[in-house]
Amino acid sequence: MSDEFALIQQYFAPFSSQIGDDCAELIIPESMRLLTSVDTLVENTHFYSDAPPNQVGYRAVATAMSDLAAMGAQPVAATLALTMPEANDTWVHQFAQGLGEALAVQKVELIGGDTTQGPLTVTVQVFGVVPQNKVLKRDGAQVGDAIFVSGPLGDAAAALTVMNGDWPGGLEHREYLLTRFYRPSPRIDLGLQLLDIASSCIDISDGLQADAAHIGRASGVKLAIDHRRLPLSPALQSVPVIARAKQWAMTGGDDYELLFTVPASAIAKVPKGCVQVGKVVEGQPQEEGGWKHFAD
Amino acid sequence: MSDEFALIQQYFAPFSSQIGDDCAELIIPESMRLLTSVDTLVENTHFYSDAPPNQVGYRAVATAMSDLAAMGAQPVAATLALTMPEANDTWVHQFAQGLGEALAVQKVELIGGDTTQGPLTVTVQVFGVVPQNKVLKRDGAQVGDAIFVSGPLGDAAAALTVMNGDWPGGLEHREYLLTRFYRPSPRIDLGLQLLDIASSCIDISDGLQADAAHIGRASGVKLAIDHRRLPLSPALQSVPVIARAKQWAMTGGDDYELLFTVPASAIAKVPKGCVQVGKVVEGQPQEEGGWKHFAD
């Protein structure tokens, strides 16, 4: 690594520990299981070149943390592999601020990383712990379970139209939508609460339809979603053709809300703010794209 | 992720477990500490575009594992974040074979990953365990300790001249040098043996001179290397101007041998094949480039 690439690591020091050895160390409490997830964001694939660096940093951590939320884990650490064309101090400084802000929300430190020269690529790996035998999985949904989502859907997909200048809804909602895209809130607290309630869980990163199919396939059931129950933010409710908003809610990814199933006996324990959107039934999971006929 | 990018993950299935949930799980034995390290290889920065894909896969795992060796850890798992311009089945198939081969050497599985579209970038994160309080670090070198390396140095730097058509040594050594570059052998077994012997340890990835300075800075001492003792392979001994070979051995990176210090009382226990190259003395670590005056 060139010296200048070694030097930019200084920007991560304020929220890093253990800099200086070949590996980072983690001590896992007894009786806990370690969970890990890795997510890569690539310039021009996952974010635009002119995206604010602090937002890219924030989002990289938040989206990775969302995978921990989906399994009911408590975050304990993160690592960063950052590849960039040149050691751009200004960019890294802002990127590091956003990254550090998202880490601080979860009270975790960056325990290691690698900085290399090449096309702009951000790979964040997160670590969490969950009590043994309590982890939330995709394969536990049972026929008769209720299907819930943790909040409004489709906002991140709508945010892309704001960036492109195509947003058809009320102009006053643009800031809200961009915030939902760049600063997703991983539902860590909800995931912890769901450990004793949900029969299956996933975070909605590929879109409700695709992620419902993931649970369906893993559990050998079908998740029947009632499109009339999809929670829409005031922003999406302002879209003139509501079918378009519902399409975003059904197929748009990157919202990072949780989708989970709950046995009838536990419905009363589901935390406030979650919305029932359907029921687990017998049958094959919907094919990708199979929800289109639900559109108004 | 597009379907075709999801599909290429099938090539990693033969040596993967746990595919299907948002996170991978790791169970860490009681009384063990978890170590992790992440390394990114970027096309045209760390390997040439025409590099054989299986060699890139092998090397990505082996170089990451070398960080575990440097701390005396036993590898237990790995994850992969692969970014590539298009879902090139042939490339991925060959890449996966090399990756799987390197994983099999260490008897570990790929427990998770992410596959994204963008410029070719390979990020491997490895996990290892080490008994509590036994980890090898950089900061334990003491004045009077002997300095050892685990094998011949400079081969990987010489391999670059083979690739460029500039190799000045015997033509019969080309294959050996390319193998040393593409298929480094992380010194896992040696690292485990050194847990009770070495006072400090690092893997030689930046070059002997730079990595000796890393130990020196962390330990507050100076590592005095005797350039006459540098172990050179028969390939490097065939170079007409031997000073050039010694320069590679002193400054060339990517050999992934171990550099470690040993108290006088433990020298007899150092495994065979390791070579003493100097002694820890009082003083400031050499500056980068400071070894130049040793060249013949």
Side-chain angles (χ1 to χ4, degrees), chain B residues 6 14 29 39 58 100 103 123 203 207-208 234 244 251 258 269:
Chain B
D39 271 304
Y58 193 98
L103 290 171
T123 297
D203 68 323
L208 176 60
R244 191 156 178 219
T251 63
L258 296 185
K269 295 186 205 157

Side-chain angles (χ1 to χ4, degrees), chain A residues 65-271:
Chain A
M65 291 285 183
S66 180
D67 287 322
L68 294 179
M71 295 187 77
Q74 177 71 52
V76 293
T79 62
L80 166 72
L82 174 64
T83 302
M84 57 190 315
E86 53 191 22
N88 178 332
D89 286 276
T90 309
W91 196 94
V92 174
H93 184 54
Q94 292 177 25
F95 171 81
Q97 284 184 321
L99 188 101
E101 211 180 318
L103 290 171
V105 171
Q106 307 300 338
K107 300 190 181 58
V108 303
E109 283 191 323
L110 204 61
I111 58 166
D114 192 16
T115 318
T116 50
Q117 185 163 24
L120 187 57
T121 311
V122 180
T123 297
V124 171
Q125 185 137 356
V126 291
F127 302 88
V129 292
V130 67
Q132 304 252 16
N133 307 322
K134 269 207 163 182
V135 60
L136 294 174
K137 295 206 159 201
R138 298 181 181 181
D139 62 2
Q142 303 273 348
V143 171
D145 288 355
I147 304 169
F148 283 84
V149 295
S150 61
L153 302 178
D155 286 340
L160 295 176
T161 70
V162 174
M163 296 178 208
N164 290 331
D166 292 335
W167 166 241
L171 298 184
E172 71 277 20
H173 298 296
R174 289 179 300 183
E175 202 58 36
Y176 162 81
L177 292 172
L178 291 175
T179 300
R180 284 277 285 169
F181 179 84
Y182 280 122
R183 296 172 73 92
S185 298
R187 302 300 182 199
I188 298 290
D189 289 343
L190 177 61
L192 294 172
Q193 291 174 292
L194 292 179
L195 281 174
D196 291 315
I197 299 171
S199 54
S200 73
C201 188
I202 195 170
D203 70 321
I204 305 176
S205 54
D206 295 339
L208 176 60
Q209 166 185 296
D211 288 312
H214 289 146
I215 285 185
R217 268 194 293 276
S219 302
V221 296
K222 183 172 164 179
L223 272 63
I225 309 278
D226 181 349
H227 73 102
R228 291 163 303 187
R229 295 197 184 193
L230 295 177
L232 299 180
S233 63
L236 260 67
Q237 290 175 23
S238 80
V239 173
V241 182
I242 200 68
R244 192 159 176 215
K246 288 196 174 180
Q247 185 74 15
W248 285 327
M250 200 59 114
T251 63
D254 294 338
D255 283 318
Y256 299 103
E257 296 293 346
L258 296 185
L259 165 67
F260 55 97
T261 58
V262 177
S265 59
I267 290 179
K269 295 186 205 158
V270 172

